[in-house]
């Protein structure tokens, strides 16, 4: 047998050595945890039998067990999404929570068109892909205020509203007295 055939998975030498190593590892594991060793042996047997029977499964298994090539591996999780725009100079949500709509409009009114566009881009407020094309700063301010109010109010139906709590007992009695249908 040549050295080249020993390196192939179906070659006798390398495959036999790997099978012996796996067998020894399972026997060692069986000494400390026989149930786990038996389970692993059954799983490996089923996987090997299915891979021998079905070429599609064998290819999928080989692909899943092959380490990814660092040059072709997806890196979306490693690098953040890049924006061509600079980060916004203010956080419109923080300004809105502190100063309300008028305070937000006042703060935004002091900014230039490009700074407003930076805020729109940073916070994903250009859902229709129009706001970054607008030339009127007031339109961009209106979009920012509208989106901040919308996102801030989102989920309000599920949050408690202390100002609209259950009517007090005496208020409920007054409403019942006014309503003749009850």
């Amino acid at each position: 047998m040549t050295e080249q055939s020993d390196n192939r998975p179906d070659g006798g030498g390398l495959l036999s050595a790997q099978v012996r190593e796996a067998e020894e590892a399972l026997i060692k594991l069986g000494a400390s945890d026989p149930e786990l060793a038996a389970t692993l042996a059954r799983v490996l047997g089923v996987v090997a039998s299915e891979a021998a029977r079905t070429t599609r499964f064998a290819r999928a298994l080989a692909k899943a067990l092959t380490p990814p090539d660092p040059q072709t591996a997806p890196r979306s999780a490693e690098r953040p999404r890049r924006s061509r725009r600079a980060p916004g100079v203010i956080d419109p949500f923080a300004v809105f929570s502190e100063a309300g709509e008028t305070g937000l409009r006042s703060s935004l009114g002091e900014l230039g068109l490009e700074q407003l566009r930076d805020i729109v881009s940073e916070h994903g407020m250009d859902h229709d892909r129009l706001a970054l094309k607008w030339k009127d700063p007031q339109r961009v301010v209106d979009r920012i205020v509208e989106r901040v109010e919308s996102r801030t109010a989102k989920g309000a139906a599920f949050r408690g509203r202390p100002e609209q709590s259950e009517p007090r007992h005496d208020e409920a009695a007054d409403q019942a007295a006014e309503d003749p249908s009850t």
Side-chain angles (χ1 to χ4, degrees), residues 3-180:
E3 190 175 311
Q4 184 180 17
S5 65
D6 285 350
N7 290 332
R8 290 192 331 236
D10 58 350
L14 182 61
L15 180 60
S16 295
Q18 291 171 337
V19 168
R20 278 193 304 276
E21 287 175 19
E23 182 182 18
E24 290 171 11
L26 283 172
I27 290 171
K28 285 180 185 176
L29 178 62
S32 63
D33 192 346
E35 196 174 315
L36 179 59
T39 302
L40 279 174
R42 285 192 308 271
V43 168
L44 289 174
V46 169
V47 170
S49 295
E50 185 64 21
R53 191 176 71 79
T54 312
T55 57
R56 182 175 165 202
F57 178 73
R59 283 194 304 266
L61 185 62
K63 183 178 178 183
L65 296 174
T66 302
D69 184 16
Q71 294 174 344
T72 60
R75 292 184 242 168
S76 61
E78 294 175 14
R79 68 175 169 208
R81 184 177 163 204
R82 291 188 196 182
S83 176
R84 295 181 188 158
R85 303 204 62 93
V89 293
I90 64 168
D91 179 5
F93 296 95
V95 174
F96 182 78
S97 68
E98 292 173 9
E101 179 183 345
T102 54
L104 178 58
R105 284 189 182 276
S106 172
S107 295
L108 294 173
E110 298 171 2
L111 303 178
L113 181 59
E114 289 304 312
Q115 291 172 319
L116 293 170
R117 288 177 176 166
D118 290 340
I119 293 170
V120 168
S121 177
E122 179 182 12
H123 295 284
M125 297 177 174
D126 195 17
H127 59 279
D128 55 4
R129 300 191 186 267
L130 294 175
L132 293 180
K133 298 175 186 174
W134 293 338
K135 307 243 186 268
D136 179 17
Q138 190 55 46
R139 284 184 81 181
V140 181
V141 167
D142 291 341
R143 168 62 63 93
I144 294 171
V145 170
E146 176 249 330
R147 298 309 303 159
V148 168
E149 287 178 334
S150 172
R151 290 183 188 172
T152 303
K154 191 172 189 173
F158 301 104
R159 292 190 288 262
R161 297 184 192 154
E163 66 276 357
Q164 294 182 355
S165 60
E166 292 287 320
R168 292 189 313 248
H169 180 66
D170 55 340
E171 290 175 350
D174 291 343
Q175 288 176 355
E178 292 175 4
D179 189 7

